[in-house]
Amino acid sequence: MNFKNFIFLFASVLLAFSCSSSSSDDLSNDPEPDPDPNPNPITYDMHISTIMSNNCTACHGNPPTQSAPFSLTTFTEVSTRVNSIISRINNTSNPMPPSGLMPQSTRELVQQWKDDGLLEN
Ligand code: HEC
């Protein structure tokens, strides 16, 4: 059993016990587990793949063109390069895309994707 499943099972058992309790006053001190602290995380499928196809894959396609060194068309390709991607999309003297910086909100989404744990979907 992996750690995630263990936590889920553990939380389910806790929940089952608290529901079966007949008195409510002894529950008041129980910490309420937050079932989903970040309900709308940034994901590759929902946000990042569109940014890549709109701004990057003209060169970083499969196969790459215009001397781009690699393709950025899959979750694995993009997530494994996220640090160099973040550094180049915010590099004012040598930006990616080379035509100029993307809007700040777009660049922040990529950073947020990393902060949220590089989720695929
Ligand atoms: C017009 C073509 C073109 C577009 C569009 C483009 N790139 Fe690039 N990219 C290149 C070329 C050519 C290089 C290699 C030369 C260099 O590093 O500047 C490169 C290099 C990079 C590198 C650095 C590789 C390294 O080893 O340091 C990253 C990261 C990168 N691109 C990401 C992106 C991202 C992310 C986008 C979209 C937001 C993008 N690129 C859009 C052509 C492009």
Side-chain angles (χ1 to χ4, degrees):
M1 179 183 315
N2 67 32
F3 185 65
K4 225 171 163 179
N5 286 345
F6 175 76
I7 293 296
F8 179 73
L9 189 65
F10 185 67
S12 304
V13 169
L14 273 187
L15 196 64
F17 269 103
S18 56
C19 288
S20 66
S21 171
S22 53
S23 67
S24 52
D25 51 346
D26 67 344
L27 293 175
S28 52
N29 290 331
D30 287 355
E32 284 288 329
D34 188 342
D36 194 348
N38 185 359
N40 295 309
I42 305 302
T43 72
Y44 177 78
D45 287 350
M46 301 251 305
H47 311 87
I48 304 302
S49 71
T50 311
I51 297 175
M52 293 297 129
S53 53
N54 286 344
N55 300 282
C56 316
T57 57
C59 305
H60 295 270
N62 185 14
T65 54
Q66 309 202 45
S67 309
F70 43 72
S71 66
L72 292 173
T73 58
T74 68
F75 168 74
T76 304
E77 287 166 347
V78 177
S79 59
T80 55
R81 298 188 189 280
V82 69
N83 289 328
S84 50
I85 290 171
I86 288 172
S87 105
R88 286 298 293 269
I89 64 176
N90 294 298
N91 185 327
T92 48
S93 58
N94 197 13
M96 283 291 148
S99 54
L101 291 181
M102 297 184 291
Q104 184 176 355
S105 56
T106 305
R107 290 180 278 131
E108 281 171 355
L109 273 181
V110 181
Q111 178 66 52
Q112 191 61 49
W113 179 50
K114 182 188 169 186
D115 295 345
D116 286 347
L118 301 174
L119 301 175
E120 183 167 11
N121 45 50

